[in-house]
Amino acid sequence: MLDLYQKQTKCLVALDSIIFGFDGEKLKLLLIKRGIEANESTWSLMGGWLQENESLDEAAERIVYKLTGLRNLYLEQVLAFGQPKRDPIERTVSVTYFALINTTVYLQTSELEYEGQWFDIDKLPHLLFDHIDMVNTSIKRLRNKAAFHPVGFELLPEKFTLPQLLNLYEAIFDQVFDRRNFSRKMIASGFISRLNEKQKGVSKKGAFFYKFNKTTQDNTFYLIPGINSLV
Amino acid sequence: MLDLYQKQTKCLVALDSIIFGFDGEKLKLLLIKRGIEANESTWSLMGGWLQENESLDEAAERIVYKLTGLRNLYLEQVLAFGQPKRDPIERTVSVTYFALINTTVYLQTSELEYEGQWFDIDKLPHLLFDHIDMVNTSIKRLRNKAAFHPVGFELLPEKFTLPQLLNLYEAIFDQVFDRRNFSRKMIASGFISRLNEKQKGVSKKGAFFYKFNKTTQDNTFYLIPGINSLV
């Protein structure tokens, strides 16, 4: 039995993190320049290797912490990438995770060590290896997530206005939504509550602030009509 | 640079396949008894190791073919499982895939070699390692898929009746749907077409057969109202 295991090829297992951010206007991606790669002008996702005694989730958390200085982020495994030649140095299977960050709380200090930089999602530079496939797959997953789950919890500040929420969804889906319909559906969904406080200095009338109702965040909650509409 | 790669721990990379089937009545799972494991009374998912020159998708296809004799199946990567002690013999990261099979075309011949057996999804035996977690994660993924995508393409025969389609969705979601609403929504979705042919021998009146419109199977198709309802 042990013999059967010993005959098998071993691989390196890497983790690459797709770190999405929202600055109130645009969906962003955090990239670094990895010192170890030959071409220093190529940008890369933040990555690292799985260590002996950690789970994949723990490894992803450790790696994202190293770049952002943030813990307890929203992290979701997206897909394992395993083309034989994807890393030219050694056979490496990479398990990707995406993270969601409100860029206003992102600690800029860690940018220096890794030369981290935010890029607009629609203006990405050339990326290392198959990293662009990882990014594109993660954007699809993020959209899927956003259709069922209030991702705003992670990407927006605690208090936000309806125009800010609309900006976020338009940035994620890369399309323009009808403002009135969007607001009506969001309010009707029951997962945001209006505060008795208005944003100042943006418009004359002032937009009300809202907050997310974290208690609605359970399995049966759908931002858009879910499978229950089949019943 | 090479040095940095050489310092890292290497792992075995396995693939485990969650093979769902539908026999017209119930959602099923195909399990085997793996000869290599100590406890021969324990059932297991069909698994294997990633080989030197194949991608993860190719490996999953090869492994499912070995058990079922079927190629070009619907296969979707679900999640990589990597708890340090999940396989007691060697550190093994397992990438899971689910497959969808109409059990009437499944070639029974391969059952003999691997002692394959179909189990009702709600009556599973004790499974090896963390395989039950893999199954549960895949059921959630299948439900998510079924909400947006006509999985019936893979799980139903070419001609099917509305009661058969309803059975399939009730089996996947493990809940009872209102028959009339369900039929109305399915027909309105435009992804099934009625044939000029009736099923005989089941009911007196006879139910019409339907077929899937494969042309509707694109990105903008949603079985339930999709993100477009936000517009």
Side-chain angles (χ1 to χ4, degrees):
Chain A
M1 174 162 63
L2 197 58
D3 190 49
L4 190 61
Y5 275 69
Q6 280 164 352
K7 276 196 308 206
Q8 308 304 324
T9 316
K10 286 192 170 186
C11 303
L12 288 173
V13 176
L15 294 109
D16 285 299
S17 307
I18 296 91
I19 304 175
F20 291 119
F22 183 65
D23 64 359
E25 290 290 329
K26 290 219 151 210
L27 191 64
K28 304 272 191 177
L29 182 65
L30 188 57
L31 298 172
I32 58 161
K33 281 189 179 165
R34 283 209 261 202
I36 56 159
E37 268 81 26
N39 186 349
E40 296 249 345
S41 71
T42 298
W43 290 87
S44 154
L45 297 168
M46 182 72 188
W49 281 288
L50 181 65
Q51 291 176 0
E52 191 66 38
N53 288 307
E54 62 185 356
S55 68
L56 294 167
D57 286 359
E58 284 162 358
E61 219 165 300
R62 170 177 58 78
I63 289 162
V64 170
Y65 173 71
K66 229 161 111 183
L67 178 59
T68 64
L70 298 173
R71 286 200 195 278
N72 302 315
L73 290 179
Y74 181 84
L75 272 171
E76 177 174 327
Q77 195 193 114
V78 181
L79 207 71
F81 287 75
Q83 289 294 334
K85 306 281 180 211
R86 54 171 298 282
D87 184 324
I89 299 172
E90 277 253 20
R91 176 85 203 246
T92 306
V93 170
S94 173
V95 182
T96 56
Y97 279 74
F98 80 73
L100 301 175
I101 297 185
N102 166 359
T103 59
T104 61
V105 299
Y106 163 63
L107 306 178
Q108 306 255 340
T109 49
S110 45
E111 273 191 27
L112 296 173
E113 192 181 345
Y114 292 98
E115 295 189 67
Q117 196 175 305
W118 289 103
F119 287 86
D120 287 355
I121 203 76
D122 53 2
K123 284 178 199 149
L124 297 180
H126 179 69
L127 296 181
L128 191 73
F129 302 164
D130 51 0
H131 287 193
I132 191 68
D133 300 334
M134 296 174 171
V135 172
N136 288 334
T137 305
S138 299
I139 290 174
K140 277 190 203 148
R141 182 69 68 87
L142 173 62
R143 286 179 182 166
N144 194 294
K145 192 85 201 172
F148 286 108
H149 172 97
V151 287
F153 279 117
E154 288 85 16
L155 289 165
L156 285 173
E158 212 169 323
K159 295 187 301 188
F160 53 88
T161 63
L162 284 175
Q164 285 172 336
L165 189 62
L166 177 62
N167 274 353
L168 172 64
Y169 274 80
E170 291 190 336
I172 290 175
F173 288 97
D174 192 23
Q175 59 176 277
V176 176
F177 295 123
D178 179 85
R179 202 183 60 181
R180 207 176 302 181
N181 272 348
F182 179 86
S183 299
R184 204 187 54 231
K185 278 171 198 260
M186 285 290 168
I187 291 165
S189 76
F191 83 93
I192 58 172
S193 301
R194 207 176 78 175
L195 301 173
N196 271 328
E197 193 182 338
K198 278 189 170 180
Q199 187 189 39
K200 282 169 191 149
V202 174
S203 70
K204 211 169 167 189
K205 224 175 112 195
F208 274 106
F209 278 119
Y210 285 76
K211 70 174 176 68
F212 285 107
N213 296 322
K214 297 207 179 178
T215 48
T216 61
Q217 203 181 15
D218 60 39
N219 282 335
T220 59
F221 170 80
Y222 294 109
L223 183 56
I224 57 170
I227 191 61
N228 291 325
S229 70
L230 277 177
V231 182
Chain B
M1 175 163 63
L2 197 59
D3 190 52
L4 191 61
Y5 275 69
Q6 280 166 350
K7 276 194 310 203
Q8 307 305 323
T9 316
K10 286 191 170 188
C11 302
L12 289 173
V13 175
L15 293 108
D16 285 299
S17 307
I18 295 91
I19 303 176
F20 291 118
F22 183 65
D23 64 359
E25 291 290 330
K26 289 220 151 208
L27 191 64
K28 305 271 192 178
L29 183 65
L30 188 58
L31 298 174
I32 59 162
K33 280 189 179 167
R34 282 209 262 202
I36 56 159
E37 266 80 27
N39 187 349
E40 297 247 347
S41 72
T42 298
W43 290 87
S44 155
L45 297 168
M46 182 71 188
W49 280 288
L50 180 65
Q51 290 175 1
E52 191 65 36
N53 288 309
E54 62 185 356
S55 68
L56 295 167
D57 286 0
E58 285 161 358
E61 219 166 297
R62 171 177 57 79
I63 290 163
V64 170
Y65 173 71
K66 229 162 110 183
L67 178 60
T68 64
L70 299 173
R71 286 200 195 278
N72 302 316
L73 291 178
Y74 182 84
L75 272 171
E76 177 175 326
Q77 195 194 113
V78 181
L79 207 70
F81 287 75
Q83 290 294 334
K85 306 281 179 212
R86 54 170 299 282
D87 185 325
I89 298 172
E90 278 253 20
R91 177 83 203 247
T92 306
V93 170
S94 174
V95 181
T96 57
Y97 279 75
F98 79 74
L100 300 176
I101 297 186
N102 165 358
T103 59
T104 61
V105 300
Y106 163 64
L107 306 177
Q108 306 255 339
T109 50
S110 48
E111 272 191 25
L112 297 172
E113 192 182 346
Y114 291 98
E115 296 189 64
Q117 198 176 302
W118 289 104
F119 287 86
D120 287 355
I121 203 74
D122 53 1
K123 283 178 199 150
L124 297 179
H126 179 69
L127 296 180
L128 190 75
F129 302 164
D130 51 1
H131 288 193
I132 191 67
D133 299 334
M134 295 174 173
V135 171
N136 289 333
T137 304
S138 299
I139 292 174
K140 277 190 204 151
R141 182 69 69 89
L142 173 62
R143 286 179 182 167
N144 194 292
K145 192 86 200 170
F148 286 106
H149 172 97
V151 288
F153 280 116
E154 289 85 17
L155 289 165
L156 284 174
E158 213 168 322
K159 295 188 300 187
F160 53 87
T161 63
L162 284 175
Q164 284 172 336
L165 190 62
L166 177 63
N167 273 354
L168 172 64
Y169 274 80
E170 291 189 336
I172 290 174
F173 288 98
D174 192 24
Q175 57 177 277
V176 176
F177 294 123
D178 179 85
R179 203 183 57 182
R180 206 175 305 178
N181 271 348
F182 179 86
S183 300
R184 204 187 55 231
K185 277 171 198 262
M186 284 290 168
I187 292 165
S189 76
F191 82 92
I192 58 173
S193 300
R194 207 176 77 175
L195 301 172
N196 270 329
E197 195 184 337
K198 277 189 171 181
Q199 187 188 42
K200 282 169 191 149
V202 173
S203 71
K204 213 172 170 184
K205 221 175 113 197
F208 274 107
F209 279 118
Y210 286 77
K211 70 173 177 63
F212 284 107
N213 297 321
K214 298 210 179 177
T215 49
T216 60
Q217 204 179 16
D218 61 36
N219 282 336
T220 58
F221 169 80
Y222 293 109
L223 184 58
I224 55 169
I227 192 61
N228 292 326
S229 70
L230 276 177
V231 182

